[in-house]
Amino acid sequence: PNTVQNRAIRSFLGVHRYASNVAIQGDVGWKWPVVRRKLEMMKLLKRLLLMSGDRLTKKIFIWDWHHKSRTWSWYVRSVLKSTGQDAVCDIDPSAEEPDIDFNTLFDQVDQELMNVEIEKWHAEMGRQSKLHIYRELKTDFIPEPYVVSNMSKSSRSFIAQLRTGTLPLMVEVGRFQQKKREERTCPYCKGETIEDEMHFIFSCPLYANFRDDFMDRINNRINIANKSNMEKMGIFMEHSIFGSFIRDCYYKRSDYIFNTT
């Protein structure tokens, strides 16, 4: 049910199909399709309950509501019960003015459904080892600043790749090459250090000039002197110039590897 939405998110973020669904869903913060579908069922329930009793559609609904098989009404009641709205299950569908505050009902059902899905999201995020940096950066299921900011597709893509652990560094490429983590070393540092995201951004001397320029530009906007590297990473991702910095470093990396092989 999430396939189409995930494709749309990947296209917007500029990441490939191996990017974690958990990470891309978390960064855009969209409602899951299953939640939207159930909310639409609640809206249809409202229409049916408020419908005139002399209409054929209403008569069929009343029959369906009292039927014991797994009909549409049975599924609606299962959603209501799972979200703590048991009282609504006992209403008389033939009543002309049902005693229901539909706005409150919709809000509470929406919140409970989202809480369930967010709990699943947190659990799945904890199971994916490649998201170790992402877990440090991401705590709440809300749209990330880089997603809602007006930045170029290129900058957004490189930030998204770094966040989701899909930027083609050795820590990721080595996974497909069946290499142990300790063997996924930086091609420039000659096997001394694992080439992961933190090494790429903060340590590798190959990008020293780009890094110095980037740090100067960031420091002109916000003081990061007393921040940890992980805290700095979170701050960087709110700025489009971080995407440009990642892009420049990655292209330099590609040129270096091409010229030395």
Side-chain angles (χ1 to χ4, degrees):
N2 297 329
T3 302
V4 174
Q5 176 166 295
N6 288 341
R7 286 179 180 175
I9 296 173
R10 285 194 178 89
S11 176
F12 174 73
L13 294 182
V15 296
H16 59 60
R17 63 192 180 96
Y18 292 112
S20 167
N21 289 336
V22 172
I24 64 173
Q25 290 166 354
D27 274 10
V28 298
W30 291 354
K31 279 190 193 333
W32 284 271
V34 64
V35 174
R36 292 202 298 270
R37 185 177 74 247
K38 291 177 179 179
L39 288 175
E40 288 302 316
M41 293 175 69
M42 296 300 107
K43 293 177 184 178
L44 179 55
L45 175 64
K46 174 184 176 180
R47 289 181 58 192
L48 292 169
L49 288 172
L50 297 179
M51 187 177 290
S52 173
D54 59 358
R55 294 187 59 179
L56 178 60
T57 304
K58 180 61 174 276
K59 294 177 181 179
I60 294 174
F61 166 64
I62 293 173
W63 173 87
D64 187 76
W65 187 262
H66 293 299
H67 204 65
K68 300 301 182 183
S69 301
R70 295 198 173 196
T71 61
W72 181 84
S73 295
W74 176 89
Y75 189 63
V76 168
R77 283 196 292 271
S78 70
V79 173
L80 291 168
K81 290 177 181 178
S82 69
T83 55
Q85 304 300 317
D86 300 65
V88 182
C89 299
D90 299 326
I91 61 170
D92 179 4
S94 60
E96 292 185 3
E97 296 183 5
D99 185 21
I100 301 174
D101 182 343
F102 287 104
N103 290 332
T104 300
L105 174 65
F106 295 159
D107 289 342
Q108 291 178 347
V109 169
D110 183 14
Q111 187 61 56
E112 289 302 317
L113 291 173
M114 284 299 294
N115 287 342
V116 170
E117 296 302 320
I118 290 173
E119 186 175 343
K120 294 178 183 177
W121 173 76
H122 274 292
E124 183 60 29
M125 182 167 58
R127 286 192 287 266
Q128 297 188 20
S129 60
K130 70 183 297 181
L131 297 182
H132 61 285
I133 287 182
Y134 185 81
R135 286 193 293 271
E136 295 289 333
L137 297 171
K138 185 72 173 178
T139 55
D140 299 321
F141 188 81
I142 56 175
E144 288 299 310
Y146 86 95
V147 172
V148 298
S149 297
N150 182 21
M151 66 174 61
S152 68
K153 185 175 179 64
S154 173
S155 293
R156 185 168 59 243
S157 174
F158 275 102
I159 292 176
Q161 289 180 66
L162 189 79
R163 286 179 64 87
T164 60
T166 55
L167 190 67
L169 305 176
M170 279 307 300
V171 70
E172 172 67 3
V173 174
R175 185 191 310 275
F176 296 95
Q177 296 174 342
Q178 305 299 313
K179 290 185 177 181
K180 297 179 180 179
R181 182 176 174 82
E182 59 269 21
E183 296 173 346
R184 305 172 197 173
T185 53
C186 177
Y188 182 77
C189 296
K190 306 304 179 186
E192 295 181 1
T193 309
I194 296 173
E195 189 190 30
D196 60 9
E197 293 82 0
M198 302 303 283
H199 175 73
F200 178 76
I201 297 299
F202 293 104
S203 304
C204 187
L206 180 62
Y207 321 116
N209 292 337
F210 292 137
R211 186 178 297 114
D212 291 343
D213 179 63
F214 169 69
M215 291 297 183
D216 287 342
R217 296 173 68 185
I218 282 291
N219 275 309
N220 287 335
R221 302 184 182 194
I222 184 171
N223 185 2
I224 60 172
N226 298 320
K227 305 289 186 181
S228 67
N229 283 348
M230 191 60 71
E231 289 173 328
K232 291 177 184 177
M233 186 86 84
I235 294 171
F236 294 165
M237 290 182 180
E238 298 181 10
H239 301 276
S240 61
I241 59 173
F242 186 48
S244 301
F245 167 65
I246 299 171
R247 179 198 60 209
D248 292 342
C249 292
Y250 185 72
Y251 286 165
K252 186 175 182 68
R253 177 188 187 276
S254 300
D255 289 342
Y256 171 78
I257 293 175
F258 178 78
N259 291 325
T260 55
T261 56

